Amino acid sequence: MLYPNTLEQKLGFDKLRERLKELCISSLGQAFVEKIRFSENFGMVEKLVSQTAEMLRILELGENFPSQNYIDATPYLKRASIEGMLLTQPEFSDLKVSLLTIRLCLRFFESQEPDAFPILGEYAKTIRVEKAVTDAIDRIIDDRGQIRDSASPELSRIRKRLISEQSGIRKKLDTILKSAKSNGWIGDDVSLTVRNGRMVIPVAAEHKRKLRGFIHDESATGQTVFIEPTDIFESNNEIRELEYEERREINRILLELTAYVRPFVPDLQKAYGFLGLMDFLRAKARLAGEMGAINPPFENRQFIDWREARHPLLHLSFQKQGKKVVPLNIELQEKQRILIVSGPNAGGKSVALKTVGVIQYMFQCGLLVPMQEGSSMGFFQNIFIDIGDEQSLENDLSTYSSHLTNMRHFLSMANKRTLFLIDEFGTGTEPGLGGAIAEAILENLTQSGAFGMINTHYTNLKVLADKTDGLVNGAMRFDGEHLEPLYQLEIGRPGSSFAFEIASKIGLPKAVVARAKEKLGTQQVNFEKLLKELDIERRVFAEKNIEIGIKERKLAKQLADYTALKEKLDNNEKKIVNEAKQKAKSLISDANQLIENTIREIKENKAEKEKTKTVRTHLENFGKKNLVLAEVAEPQPAEEEYEPEGGDITPGSYVRISGQTAIGEVLSIKGKDAEIRIGDLKSTIKLNRLEKVSRKTYRAATGEKGVKTASKGVDMNERMLNFSFNLDMRGKRGEEALGLVDQFMDNAIMLGYDELRIVHGKGDGILRTLVRNHLRGYKQVAGMYDEHADRGGAGVTIVKLK
């Protein structure tokens, strides 16, 4: 059920209907546009939207689908179904080209895979256009829409005689015309013409008695008369009789052709219904393409879950102006099914309300809807709206009475399958009374289980929404510092009307504003002030949260890396100490054994000087051999080495100038001089000053990819401290941006980061698409998604690494 009857006009759907008519090729499709209706049947809505989605896919794939000659021939078929009636030559011409279009459509679906376009493909299978019918018409009507000479033997004979007679009469007239010109009766620029279907000669009025014949006409000035000479009178009569015969024969042929087509009229009428549907679906698909619309998942339950939804008319209008619509994110579920939207005037509340209404309405009319992937559509059987579009000169009782009449209908008819939309809830009467009535109505609507969206300035409704299950506050975001609307819907908090701030901005005297605050009372003023301050603080803290979040993640990563590195160093230290202790223990054991052997030998030899000296020397050698500290050589940076190469210097050789580091390529040799290229410079050098070097040396010196240069080492600690997992590339060009991404990813992978943040901005989405497509080439990337809306949304990509 829809309420009121003017719902389409209030939501602007009538303008979408007009745009669809413009996109149709024929009256067949326009007739379908007129039949568009809101459907309360879930299966029907699903079928209608799926048909449109299939046609959109056909157009996007660039398939060879017919795009012309969608001609409405149904009036001709109605007349052809009557016994004794015949269709004219132009009507059969229209039948021919339009039936060809139908056959091309059917042939298209026959050539596709069965599951490519399941709904349209199945419907196409029910359509029959007998080839015998199109062949019969083609035998009579040629590609120019004329009757073929071969349509019948009699027609062929008549046309041959007609051509012969016309040729003969033209020869006679040419002779008479030359004679008249030579006698000066007519001018040299005069030629033959036709009057009343007969060939005549234009003759000056003063000479009309000199040429025998029948006068058929005269010019507007009376200075020229058109005479049919007596000599060709019989020939013209013969031509006229042949033309009558030709006409009779053509009528006979068309009568027979009509009779032949008559039995096929029921099938042909159904085929033209199919042709009209194809035209209609093409128009809906083209409109979807203009709006960037999609076919979101559709569920048979009541909810709204939309991402970046756009008002279709606003989108089309802004598109022509080169501007973009601020999209709407909205979610209504069972526990939060009625949204109370507040905020300043001209902040976008009414547009947001109409966006919800027109998108739900157009979807249940079978149209695709302008929103982003990831959205879902619910199903409602009733849509009620109370939108005061009309501008009245005075806000009198009758206006408020009309609002109350609407509310009475809402309260009596609303149920769990209802979506209601109310703009400026409770206005039109004394604010205190209006607010109280509005609150009572809202409580009743909440109990009905209906879903809805309400725009209001009443504080009591904002407070009610904050403490009542099923209600949720929302606000159209507003820049409280610059007092400018942002046109963004934020669910979860109420909005301020910013009435005093806007009044001050437009120049209302400060004393008046201050007096107004006094009259309002401190409680309300403080409430509005608090809302404004909260909005400003929310944005400030949102930015701070982003910075803190980045720092915390960086700190946590660095702490984890430091802990892992310290643990590794501690383990290595313990391992080295253990190995040293083990080696020292072994040395002590060997030393003790040697000392004991030395003492025993001294005792056995009774301390002979020579033997004692020899034993002491052996003991000293053991100490020198096993207990001397090894020198640790510090690594020296590798010097550049040049690999010389033998052989003569020829064009294409790589050379180095003696005594210098410059390396180049020989371009040509002239006597004792050689022309060489060093980078982008060319120079002529004596051959005896050049040394031939290897290609490896040349590649190392010029920095070509794939050359193994001397490793200079990487300070991991320094790189870890200087690395930020947040890359800001806003304003960068494509190639420059991708270079930054590669360097960023190399460092992140080396340092073991598992999450990165790339700031590319929103804009037209070109840089975001370029970066994400490039990141898909990294096997280390596990996934990508948009940052939270408060921290950059689609302007920031979060990259998860494996």
Side-chain angles (χ1 to χ4, degrees):
M1 178 187 295
L2 302 175
Y3 182 86
N5 295 331
T6 57
L7 183 142
E8 279 198 8
Q9 291 73 27
K10 288 181 177 291
L11 291 179
F13 186 80
D14 55 329
K15 294 182 176 61
L16 285 179
R17 194 187 292 271
E18 289 301 317
R19 179 56 184 156
L20 276 175
K21 284 184 179 180
E22 293 173 3
L23 293 173
C24 288
I25 301 173
S26 73
S27 58
L28 284 169
Q30 292 175 349
F32 275 92
V33 175
E34 288 292 342
K35 296 176 184 176
I36 290 179
R37 295 292 182 272
F38 176 85
S39 176
E40 300 173 13
N41 185 309
F42 178 81
M44 178 59 70
V45 173
E46 192 171 36
K47 178 182 177 182
L48 293 175
V49 175
S50 298
Q51 284 179 343
T52 309
E54 288 185 9
M55 182 58 72
L56 178 61
R57 197 160 69 251
I58 291 173
L59 299 185
E60 287 177 342
L61 293 175
E63 297 286 352
N64 188 23
F65 196 80
S67 60
Q68 59 185 358
N69 293 327
Y70 285 74
I71 300 172
D72 183 7
T74 51
Y76 311 154
L77 296 177
K78 288 180 181 179
R79 205 165 67 253
S81 63
I82 302 172
E83 194 71 31
M85 296 295 290
L86 65 82
L87 300 184
T88 64
Q89 176 183 318
E91 290 171 345
F92 269 117
S93 177
D94 287 348
L95 263 178
K96 177 179 177 176
V97 296
S98 56
L99 286 176
L100 176 60
T101 300
I102 295 174
R103 289 181 63 85
L104 290 174
C105 291
L106 297 177
R107 198 175 303 161
F108 170 83
F109 290 111
E110 289 171 0
S111 65
Q112 302 297 318
E113 294 294 329
D115 57 346
F117 307 104
I119 298 178
L120 296 182
E122 283 299 317
Y123 182 39
K125 291 178 182 178
T126 66
I127 305 302
R128 293 181 58 190
V129 176
E130 295 293 342
K131 189 174 184 297
V133 175
T134 55
D135 289 347
I137 297 175
D138 189 58
R139 281 195 300 270
I140 304 302
I141 307 295
D142 63 16
D143 294 338
R144 295 174 295 122
Q146 302 300 316
I147 303 293
R148 297 182 188 272
D149 293 348
S150 59
S152 75
E154 180 64 15
L155 182 63
S156 178
R157 182 191 66 78
I158 292 171
R159 286 184 171 176
K160 286 180 181 178
R161 284 191 58 196
L162 190 59
I163 292 172
S164 176
E165 289 294 334
Q166 288 173 340
S167 177
I169 200 172
R170 182 172 288 279
K171 289 180 181 178
K172 290 180 182 180
L173 281 172
D174 285 341
T175 302
I176 296 171
L177 189 65
K178 288 180 182 178
S179 175
K181 286 181 179 179
S182 63
N183 291 327
W185 300 340
I186 58 176
D188 292 337
D189 58 342
V190 174
S191 60
L192 299 176
T193 186
V194 176
R195 285 293 184 274
N196 301 323
R198 303 172 78 92
M199 299 189 72
V200 296
I201 297 176
V203 179
E206 64 267 23
H207 301 299
K208 64 182 179 180
R209 302 294 181 188
K210 297 177 181 179
L211 183 64
R212 295 179 61 192
F214 180 80
I215 298 176
H216 283 272
D217 196 7
E218 68 176 6
S219 65
T221 60
Q223 296 180 359
T224 303
V225 294
F226 299 92
I227 300 176
E228 179 186 359
T230 306
D231 294 346
I232 65 166
F233 191 76
E234 290 299 327
S235 297
N236 263 335
N237 286 342
E238 182 69 21
I239 290 175
R240 179 59 62 89
E241 289 180 4
L242 287 172
E243 288 175 346
Y244 290 151
E245 288 184 32
E246 180 189 31
R247 192 179 305 165
R248 287 193 297 271
E249 180 62 16
I250 287 175
N251 284 343
R252 187 192 66 79
I253 293 169
L254 294 177
L255 191 62
E256 287 185 357
L257 183 58
T258 305
Y260 181 82
V261 171
R262 187 169 295 118
F264 302 98
V265 165
D267 286 343
L268 294 179
Q269 287 177 328
K270 186 176 180 181
Y272 277 96
F274 170 78
L275 184 64
L277 178 62
M278 294 301 103
D279 186 19
F280 174 55
L281 291 178
R282 284 186 77 260
K284 290 204 293 182
R286 290 179 62 191
L287 179 64
E290 291 179 355
M291 299 186 300
I294 64 169
N295 178 20
F298 184 38
E299 299 180 32
N300 191 8
R301 63 183 181 91
Q302 288 67 54
F303 74 98
I304 289 177
D305 186 7
W306 301 346
R307 301 287 177 269
E308 297 192 19
R310 306 174 301 281
H311 192 290
L313 293 177
L314 201 59
H315 177 86
L316 294 175
S317 175
F318 276 26
Q319 197 173 51
K320 293 178 182 178
Q321 302 173 36
K323 299 190 295 184
K324 286 191 173 183
V325 178
V326 178
L328 175 74
N329 294 317
I330 179 170
E331 182 176 359
L332 298 181
Q333 299 290 350
E334 180 62 29
K335 294 182 179 179
Q336 293 183 342
R337 58 183 180 274
I338 300 178
L339 176 63
I340 310 299
V341 181
S342 50
N345 289 322
K349 297 192 303 296
S350 295
V351 173
L353 191 80
K354 292 181 180 179
T355 300
V356 172
V358 73
I359 286 182
Q360 188 66 44
Y361 185 84
M362 66 190 291
F363 187 82
Q364 291 191 226
C365 286
L367 299 178
L368 303 186
V369 285
M371 56 182 64
Q372 286 294 97
E373 297 290 348
S375 304
S376 299
M377 293 294 299
F379 177 65
F380 295 92
Q381 287 188 338
N382 308 315
I383 296 183
F384 302 155
I385 68 169
D386 179 31
I387 299 176
D389 288 334
E390 296 81 12
Q391 296 293 323
S392 57
L393 294 175
E394 54 183 290
N395 203 8
D396 57 12
L397 180 62
S398 62
T399 301
Y400 185 61
S401 296
S402 69
H403 286 300
L404 290 182
T405 301
N406 292 337
M407 293 304 101
R408 182 187 65 187
H409 183 86
F410 286 18
L411 293 175
S412 62
M413 304 301 295
N415 56 35
K416 293 181 179 180
R417 293 178 172 268
T418 298
L419 174 66
F420 65 85
L421 306 170
I422 304 175
D423 194 22
E424 299 299 338
F425 194 30
T427 58
T429 187
E430 195 274 321
L433 297 177
I437 294 175
E439 184 172 342
I441 292 173
L442 180 56
E443 289 175 345
N444 196 296
L445 288 173
T446 305
Q447 294 172 5
S448 72
F451 285 68
M453 183 172 174
I454 295 174
N455 292 343
T456 187
H457 290 285
Y458 287 141
T459 302
N460 63 315
L461 299 185
K462 304 176 191 178
V463 175
L464 179 66
D466 193 49
K467 63 182 182 180
T468 305
D469 291 339
L471 301 181
V472 60
N473 270 308
M476 299 306 299
R477 293 188 60 190
F478 194 80
D479 188 343
E481 296 181 46
H482 303 95
L483 298 179
E484 294 176 351
L486 301 176
Y487 305 111
Q488 297 172 350
L489 175 63
E490 183 177 358
I491 297 176
R493 69 174 186 86
S496 170
S497 297
F498 290 88
F500 294 129
E501 290 77 12
I502 294 174
S504 299
K505 181 181 180 181
I506 64 176
L508 208 63
K510 292 182 179 180
V512 174
V513 176
R515 183 61 179 160
K517 290 180 179 179
E518 292 176 6
K519 289 181 175 294
L520 183 61
T522 58
Q523 183 177 357
Q524 181 65 28
V525 172
N526 290 338
F527 182 78
E528 292 290 329
K529 180 181 178 182
L530 180 62
L531 285 177
K532 185 187 75 170
E533 292 176 351
L534 284 175
D535 182 68
I536 296 173
E537 290 179 2
R538 187 200 61 78
R539 288 191 293 107
V540 171
F541 283 116
E543 296 174 0
K544 294 294 183 183
N545 283 338
I546 295 175
E547 297 177 6
I548 293 172
I550 294 172
K551 291 179 179 178
E552 284 182 348
R553 284 185 289 203
K554 183 177 180 181
L555 181 61
K557 181 63 180 174
Q558 291 178 345
L559 181 61
D561 292 341
Y562 170 77
T563 303
L565 184 61
K566 185 176 183 301
E567 184 178 352
K568 183 178 179 180
L569 291 174
D570 289 343
N571 291 335
N572 288 340
E573 183 182 5
K574 291 177 182 179
K575 184 177 179 181
I576 292 171
V577 170
N578 289 338
E579 290 177 354
K581 288 180 178 179
Q582 186 65 33
K583 190 171 183 180
K585 184 178 179 180
S586 177
L587 286 173
I588 291 172
S589 177
D590 293 343
N592 287 336
Q593 184 66 37
L594 182 60
I595 291 171
E596 290 176 0
N597 293 337
T598 302
I599 294 172
R600 186 177 64 252
E601 289 184 14
I602 292 174
K603 288 181 177 180
E604 290 176 353
N605 291 284
K606 297 180 180 180
E608 290 182 5
K609 291 184 179 180
E610 279 301 321
K611 189 62 176 176
T612 302
K613 185 177 180 181
T614 302
V615 173
R616 287 182 180 277
T617 301
H618 183 61
L619 185 60
E620 290 173 0
N621 289 339
F622 175 80
K624 290 179 181 179
K625 180 179 179 181
N626 294 285
L627 300 178
V628 174
L629 297 176
E631 293 184 2
V632 179
E634 293 293 333
Q636 297 295 327
E639 296 182 357
E640 294 183 347
E641 295 181 359
Y642 296 95
E643 296 181 8
E645 189 171 318
D648 296 332
I649 297 175
T650 59
S653 297
Y654 302 108
V655 295
R656 179 171 72 95
I657 301 175
S658 299
Q660 300 183 23
T661 60
I663 294 179
E665 179 183 6
V666 177
L667 300 177
S668 63
I669 296 178
K670 299 177 182 179
K672 296 183 179 180
D673 296 330
E675 184 182 16
I676 66 172
R677 177 177 59 83
I678 303 174
D680 294 328
L681 300 177
K682 294 181 180 179
S683 179
T684 302
I685 307 293
K686 294 292 184 181
L687 277 171
N688 57 12
R689 293 186 56 199
L690 301 177
E691 297 175 1
K692 190 175 182 181
V693 298
S694 66
R695 177 176 176 80
K696 179 179 178 182
T697 301
Y698 172 78
R699 292 173 65 189
T702 56
E704 287 188 7
K705 293 182 179 179
V707 178
K708 293 183 179 179
T709 57
S711 175
K712 298 182 179 179
V714 178
D715 190 338
M716 292 296 291
N717 289 332
E718 181 180 357
R719 180 167 294 190
M720 188 182 302
L721 291 173
N722 293 331
F723 179 76
S724 170
F725 70 93
N726 185 72
L727 174 63
D728 189 343
M729 58 172 57
R730 286 175 291 185
K732 304 294 184 184
R733 295 184 177 272
E735 293 183 2
E736 182 183 4
L738 294 184
L740 290 174
V741 170
D742 287 335
Q743 183 179 358
F744 182 59
M745 289 296 293
D746 289 344
N747 289 334
I749 293 169
M750 181 183 297
L751 297 175
Y753 275 69
D754 57 359
E755 182 177 306
L756 307 174
R757 189 174 187 272
I758 300 178
V759 182
H760 40 63
K762 294 180 181 178
D764 295 329
I766 298 174
L767 187 57
R768 174 180 61 185
T769 303
L770 188 66
V771 168
R772 292 190 178 182
N773 288 339
H774 187 66
L775 288 173
R776 290 188 180 96
Y778 281 88
K779 63 182 181 181
Q780 294 89 351
V781 174
M784 294 172 281
Y785 57 87
D786 291 346
E787 176 63 280
H788 188 276
D790 290 338
R791 297 192 289 273
V796 180
T797 295
I798 300 298
V799 184
K800 286 285 187 180
L801 299 181
K802 297 178 181 177

